[in-house]
Amino acid sequence: MDQGAAIQMLLNRVAITDLIHAYCFHFDRNEPAAVAALFSADAVVDYGPEVPDLIGAQAISAAIASGLTKTFAATSHHVSNVTITFDTPDQAHSICYLYAWHRYHNGAPDGELWGQYHHRFAREPDGWRISSLVLKAAGSQDFHRATMHPIGRR
Amino acid sequence: MDQGAAIQMLLNRVAITDLIHAYCFHFDRNEPAAVAALFSADAVVDYGPEVPDLIGAQAISAAIASGLTKTFAATSHHVSNVTITFDTPDQAHSICYLYAWHRYHNGAPDGELWGQYHHRFAREPDGWRISSLVLKAAGSQDFHRATMHPIGRR
Amino acid sequence: MDQGAAIQMLLNRVAITDLIHAYCFHFDRNEPAAVAALFSADAVVDYGPEVPDLIGAQAISAAIASGLTKTFAATSHHVSNVTITFDTPDQAHSICYLYAWHRYHNGAPDGELWGQYHHRFAREPDGWRISSLVLKAAGSQDFHRATMHPIGRR
């Protein structure tokens, strides 16, 4: 890789990581339109087997808005272990870890989730977007969903 | 941005991120002078509405030393979601997430905080320093403060 | 540092960070051979005073396989605060924070650990490897080990 390509790849890593962070930030502030704006127009979000796939920014925004209004009184999505792989200079996928804390409107005990986001990203004319997101769980406690995609532990 | 400026920006990101990490490391080891040395001489720290702003390295060191000696038996400050924006090549601000665990001297249950640090940074002749820090909370459990700056959830 | 050296250092930081993440990912998926492959042939792992040092990839793989099979039903290792220092272009050390969640086969309450990994890394002909790992604890709750290396709080 020449120097220019290496620098561009490093800048792309920053942009993609910031995109993951922006998802958490806007989700936790209950800004569903700002969350949806991070996704490609035809993006697919899979939050688990209990929920139909969300397809497209409109569906993503509506589903997130509903959860943020009806289910959650407060949330905090802490992502780490962000590991990015470039498939082409304009397409990438990543795995990151998620430790998410949830406070519920219904007064149930706070829910905790220890899991992973598996993302795909595409670079569009005005910047990187999330093209797909799959949520997987290593485990949870007092979480509002009983069944999640597993992380694939043997 | 030319290649030299891009490389310098990437190196500055590393330096700023390491500064945030050094704050946590020295705080958790009860090294208040080392924490204070990470701040500009006229830095402002706002830990919340229950505490007067700390202004200047001397006040920061004294307040942290007091808390670390009297209140906390152990702490662990896990920062993630570090998102840095450069205002000029020598000034930046950032938001990062904080998951902080606290064990108390008084035997109260361990306190947990899910929140954010909002930082400002300035590059001084001998390197980057924190020029301001505001702590905001998404939520907490068994934490020793009842009222915190909110993260701004709608 | 010239531009080429700076770019190489930044790429090395990515490779080392990804190595730490791969350790967590393969550990949490119960893939002990994949964990062991991240270490140098003569690497040393020190999980604490209750456990003899593990020396070499074979010993590391065997010990991890045993724990993952007999002790843990599920784990999630969230690393953050990754701070890397290069000793030479081919040798580095780092401190990162660990928030680890453990579910046990024996039905004991989930164990939580708030601590640090202290790593050393060496660049071998086919890439970076972990040459040593020491686990230190700031604190824990319901964890299966009573005594850990402390983080050095005063």
Side-chain angles (χ1 to χ4, degrees), chain B residues 21 28-29 68 77 79 103, chain C residues 80-81 83 97 140 151 153:
Chain B
H21 296 166
D28 293 332
R29 286 168 53 98
L68 288 171
H77 286 72
V79 290
R103 184 152 288 167
Chain C
S80 63
N81 304 40
T83 306
Y97 272 44
S140 65
I151 61 163
R153 192 178 195 268

Side-chain angles (χ1 to χ4, degrees), chain C:
Chain C
M1 187 158 42
D2 70 21
Q3 289 194 5
I7 292 170
Q8 189 55 52
M9 186 274 283
L10 290 163
L11 295 175
N12 285 339
R13 294 177 59 87
V14 172
I16 287 169
T17 304
D18 283 355
L19 196 58
I20 298 173
H21 297 166
Y23 170 92
C24 299
F25 182 76
H26 293 303
F27 193 105
D28 293 333
R29 285 168 54 98
N30 188 8
E31 298 170 338
V35 173
L38 306 170
F39 287 85
S40 304
D42 59 349
V44 179
V45 172
D46 178 356
Y47 282 135
E50 299 183 357
V51 198
D53 282 1
L54 307 173
I55 302 175
Q58 185 70 19
I60 293 167
S61 178
I64 289 175
S66 171
L68 287 172
T69 303
K70 297 180 188 166
T71 306
F72 303 124
T75 59
S76 198
H77 286 74
H78 301 248
V79 290
S80 63
N81 304 40
V82 180
T83 306
I84 300 169
T85 306
F86 288 89
D87 303 304
T88 74
D90 298 324
Q91 293 192 304
H93 63 277
S94 79
I95 296 173
C96 69
Y97 272 44
L98 169 67
Y99 167 52
W101 169 88
H102 311 76
R103 184 151 287 167
Y104 297 109
H105 275 307
N106 67 3
D110 292 355
E112 290 177 289
L113 177 69
W114 299 272
Q116 300 171 1
Y117 287 129
H118 290 233
H119 282 108
R120 290 193 172 278
F121 305 94
R123 182 154 60 175
E124 301 189 352
D126 56 349
W128 287 90
R129 293 290 183 280
I130 304 169
S131 54
S132 79
L133 181 166
V134 180
L135 174 61
K136 304 188 180 190
S140 65
Q141 185 160 324
D142 297 322
F143 194 55
H144 60 289
R145 298 201 183 286
T147 309
M148 301 288 289
H149 291 308
I151 61 163
R153 192 178 195 268
R154 298 182 184 202

Side-chain angles (χ1 to χ4, degrees), chain B residues 98-117:
Chain B
L98 169 67
Y99 167 53
W101 168 89
H102 311 76
R103 184 152 288 167
Y104 297 109
H105 275 308
N106 67 4
D110 292 355
E112 289 177 289
L113 177 69
W114 299 273
Q116 301 172 1
Y117 286 130

Side-chain angles (χ1 to χ4, degrees), chain A residues 44-68:
Chain A
V44 180
V45 172
D46 179 356
Y47 282 136
E50 299 183 356
V51 197
D53 281 2
L54 308 173
I55 301 175
Q58 186 69 20
I60 293 166
S61 179
I64 289 175
S66 171
L68 287 171

Side-chain angles (χ1 to χ4, degrees), chain A residues 2-38:
Chain A
D2 71 19
Q3 290 194 4
I7 292 170
Q8 190 54 54
M9 186 273 284
L10 290 163
L11 295 175
N12 285 340
R13 294 178 59 87
V14 172
I16 288 170
T17 305
D18 282 356
L19 196 58
I20 299 173
H21 297 167
Y23 170 95
C24 299
F25 183 76
H26 293 302
F27 192 105
D28 293 333
R29 285 168 54 98
N30 187 7
E31 298 170 338
V35 173
L38 306 170

